[in-house]
């Protein structure tokens, strides 16, 4: 039985994005930016899932 290895690049790539469909990602970003979860989801829909763009849209 083989164990799938995760490369060192995968976690960093994951942190660069906000997964709008993942409750924990949306909640984290909402708390971090001081906005509602709906505002985060709207920002992801309009700006894409890149964390920098989402945070810029949310005023960060």
């Amino acid at each position: 039985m083989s164990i799938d290895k995760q490369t060192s690049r995968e976690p960093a790539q994951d942190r660069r994005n906000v997964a709008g469909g993942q409750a924990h990602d949306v909640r984290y970003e909402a708390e971090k930016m001081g906005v509602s979860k709906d505002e985060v989801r709207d920002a992801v829909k309009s700006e894409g899932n890149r964390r920098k763009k989402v945070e810029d849209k949310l005023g960060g």
Side-chain angles (χ1 to χ4, degrees):
M1 187 194 288
S2 78
I3 298 173
D4 292 331
K5 285 180 63 177
Q6 191 175 35
T7 66
S8 61
R9 289 179 39 187
E10 289 176 288
Q13 288 174 340
D14 188 46
R15 285 190 296 266
R16 285 190 296 224
N17 297 320
V18 177
Q22 296 291 320
H24 62 277
D25 256 9
V26 173
R27 184 179 60 247
Y28 169 79
E29 199 63 35
E31 289 174 4
K32 178 181 169 185
M33 301 301 296
V35 299
S36 72
K37 291 183 254 182
D38 286 335
E39 288 176 284
V40 173
R41 287 188 198 102
D42 290 343
V44 170
K45 285 179 185 176
S46 68
E47 300 299 316
N49 67 344
R50 294 304 258 192
R51 188 170 304 277
K52 174 80 171 118
K53 288 185 177 185
V54 170
E55 289 176 355
D56 288 346
K57 174 78 173 184
L58 295 172

